[in-house]
Amino acid sequence: MDSPPASRLPSILDAHADDILSEWIARLRSGGADDRISEVERERQASGFLQRMIEAIRASGVADIEGPAFEPLREMLSDISRSRAMQGFSPTESALFVFSLKQPLFHRLGLAWGKDAEGLARDVWAVTLLIDALGLRMMEAWQKTREEVIIRQQQEIAELSTPVVKLWQGILALPLIGTLDSSRTQVVMENLLESIVQHEADIAIIDITGVPTVDTLVAQHLLKTVAAARLMGADCIISGIRPQIAQTMVHLGVELNVISKANLSDAFALALRRIGRAVVRTKSPVPVMGTAHGE
Amino acid sequence: MASDVGDRIPILKLGDALLVTIQVDMHDRLALALEDDLTNRIVQTSAKGVLIDISALEIVDSFIGRTLASIAQIARVLDAETVVVGMRPAVAITLVELGLSLPGVRTALNAERGMALIRTHRADELDADPDGDAA
């Protein structure tokens, strides 16, 4: 029995690289102009991609996509995918870049094999496997990039949303926004304690108006923060417990055992009283005007 | 009584308060010795307040935490108010994570505030009990 005839893919690629490239670019272009990526850039990516693919296939055939010959191609694919993910392309749009190479390749294979169905089928299958593997790799890189973006944003949110505000000499406020998990509690706690030392604060008001839910775990985190502040010699007041949250807390049996006030202003008034100060009215209120100066 | 000076934490008398500044790393023997010495000095001097400054302590384990709590309890039995001052943020977080929030121990940010706390506590007590000897 004869061994199967050799794949005609490498010779096709050598002979018709330019035709395949122009057909591919035409297909990419038929998807319509896109202002996220320039025509020139897209063509540059396509020709670079095809170039590396031809080199890799010439070196090691189509089967071994994980091998060293495909290294430059894989790298380029990851780069393209990463930039697409950053530019806001959807997964489908990113993957189509690779998958739209199939048609020009199949077309050339069809011309080369003519009526030899068996050879054609074998080569089509080989190309399908190759392009599918590359497409999947593209998706993987896209996904990874998006995950990196999400993780970075999470870190930024964690840092941004835990400011400690000085309200008065010796009174700090900590407006919490977002869900409290253990890693955020850690950041919040450290921020608060450092600020207590820095401002020599007696009282810290933890305002939870921006905390969407308080379950037993969140309550435990709050209590930890309060206990740590107390160890440093500062008292805590919790404020801004919304009606639904108060109900949930009671129904869950969560007890805070800390002074709590309905809103920040009540808590501030109490804090002022604690440090022996009061807000008094000095005279009739001065109307606030845009540019006029008081007489 | 203060025999082995190198192995002891000095206790200073300041008015009717005792001042303890922990400047070295606490190990368990030292903590127990401090508890002993402090108990004796409170009785000797009939001190009304104990101020423990731990601002130099970078590491506090559960044993030291418990010792601080028991010193406070002992002092209360002997009619003295204990204030722990100058705890570092990292130490506070560690103690809370260990589940030791030192109930019954008063705390203050620094020695100055701690002294003020002892003084006001003493004044409140004298107000409440005018027959007690103020000397």
Side-chain angles (χ1 to χ4, degrees):
Chain A
M1 201 175 147
D2 291 340
S3 64
S7 165
R8 294 189 187 167
L9 185 61
S11 59
I12 290 171
L13 285 174
D14 282 342
H16 302 287
D18 290 341
D19 296 336
I20 293 172
L21 179 62
S22 56
E23 264 181 65
W24 186 23
I25 290 173
R27 290 210 66 78
L28 287 174
R29 202 177 287 147
S30 71
D34 199 319
D35 52 8
R36 286 170 296 190
I37 185 166
S38 70
E39 203 66 36
V40 181
E41 175 68 11
R42 191 151 66 182
E43 280 172 27
R44 202 185 55 76
Q45 285 179 349
S47 72
F49 184 87
L50 195 61
Q51 184 67 37
R52 284 175 175 75
M53 194 172 96
I54 291 171
E55 279 163 16
I57 290 175
R58 203 180 287 147
S60 73
V62 288
D64 184 25
I65 169 175
E66 298 298 329
F70 277 86
E71 178 67 38
L73 182 63
R74 289 200 303 264
E75 254 173 41
M76 175 162 194
L77 197 59
S78 303
D79 284 348
I80 294 176
S81 183
R82 197 171 301 131
S83 67
R84 300 256 158 147
M86 290 292 190
Q87 283 156 350
F89 281 81
S90 74
T92 313
E93 287 168 325
S94 306
L96 269 182
F97 172 76
V98 176
F99 288 135
S100 57
L101 178 56
K102 265 187 191 178
Q103 197 149 3
L105 283 177
F106 287 176
H107 176 62
R108 287 289 151 189
L109 283 174
L111 290 182
W113 285 95
K115 299 237 178 284
D116 185 351
E118 198 184 322
L120 177 61
R122 206 169 27 242
D123 259 2
V124 164
W125 178 237
V127 170
T128 303
L129 281 183
L130 174 70
I131 299 289
D132 285 357
L134 290 173
L136 285 176
R137 196 164 260 284
M138 181 112 181
M139 289 297 305
E140 234 168 67
W142 187 90
Q143 183 88 10
K144 214 170 129 198
T145 312
R146 293 300 281 241
E147 270 163 22
E148 281 166 11
V149 170
I150 292 171
I151 289 171
R152 205 184 56 236
Q153 284 175 344
Q154 273 176 342
Q155 285 170 345
E156 279 169 10
I157 290 170
E159 282 167 19
L160 276 179
S161 60
T162 51
V164 181
V165 192
K166 181 179 169 185
L167 289 184
W168 203 265
Q169 189 79 43
I171 303 177
L172 294 179
L174 178 70
L176 287 179
I177 292 166
T179 315
L180 275 182
D181 55 19
S182 24
S183 61
R184 258 198 87 200
T185 310
Q186 195 74 18
V187 177
V188 168
M189 216 194 268
E190 280 169 20
N191 273 357
L192 179 65
L193 299 190
E194 293 292 345
S195 309
I196 286 175
V197 175
Q198 194 189 336
H199 296 289
E200 303 200 336
D202 296 294
I203 296 178
I205 301 171
I206 302 177
D207 186 79
I208 58 169
T209 313
V211 178
T213 50
V214 175
D215 55 12
T216 43
L217 202 64
V218 172
Q220 201 192 339
H221 288 145
L222 279 176
L223 287 179
K224 267 188 192 173
T225 311
V226 172
R230 198 192 70 83
L231 283 177
M232 306 262 313
D235 276 336
C236 281
I237 303 172
I238 290 185
S239 74
I241 302 176
R242 282 182 282 133
Q244 305 95 313
I245 289 183
Q247 283 176 322
T248 323
M249 282 167 69
V250 171
H251 290 155
L252 282 175
V254 174
E255 272 188 56
L256 279 179
N257 284 330
V258 188
I259 310 162
S260 58
K261 292 280 167 193
N263 53 45
L264 186 59
S265 99
D266 287 353
F268 184 48
L270 175 68
L272 282 175
R273 219 167 34 246
R274 283 273 185 86
I275 61 168
R277 287 171 198 272
V279 178
V280 291
R281 182 168 170 176
T282 51
K283 54 181 177 185
S284 54
V286 181
V288 180
M289 298 225 218
T291 52
H293 292 281
E295 291 287 315
Chain B
M1 184 159 289
S3 51
D4 229 0
V5 180
D7 257 323
R8 287 280 195 266
I9 290 172
I11 300 170
L12 312 175
K13 185 172 178 302
L14 213 73
D16 39 359
L18 295 178
L19 177 63
V20 181
T21 308
I22 300 173
Q23 301 275 14
V24 291
D25 275 344
M26 285 282 264
H27 49 80
D28 296 0
R29 280 247 306 281
L30 200 60
L32 288 176
L34 177 66
E35 187 181 309
D36 268 358
D37 288 355
L38 208 51
T39 315
N40 289 327
R41 285 295 292 271
I42 292 171
V43 173
Q44 249 175 29
T45 61
S46 57
K48 296 299 170 209
V50 177
L51 188 117
I52 305 177
D53 175 26
I54 58 167
S55 57
L57 268 192
E58 285 179 29
I59 299 165
V60 171
D61 60 14
S62 56
F63 185 81
I64 307 293
R66 264 209 312 281
T67 311
L68 285 176
S70 60
I71 286 177
Q73 274 171 347
I74 292 166
R76 188 164 312 119
V77 171
L78 298 171
D79 188 28
E81 185 75 11
T82 308
V83 182
V84 173
V85 303
M87 189 181 293
R88 294 182 176 214
V91 172
I93 292 174
T94 313
L95 281 182
V96 169
E97 295 293 341
L98 287 173
L100 285 169
S101 50
L102 306 186
V105 181
R106 309 194 71 165
T107 51
L109 193 66
N110 50 39
E112 193 183 1
R113 298 249 177 111
M115 271 321 222
L117 203 60
I118 289 176
R119 234 176 278 128
T120 48
H121 174 77
R122 184 89 184 104
D124 288 351
E125 240 177 22
L126 290 179
D127 282 349
D129 176 24
D131 295 334
D133 55 340

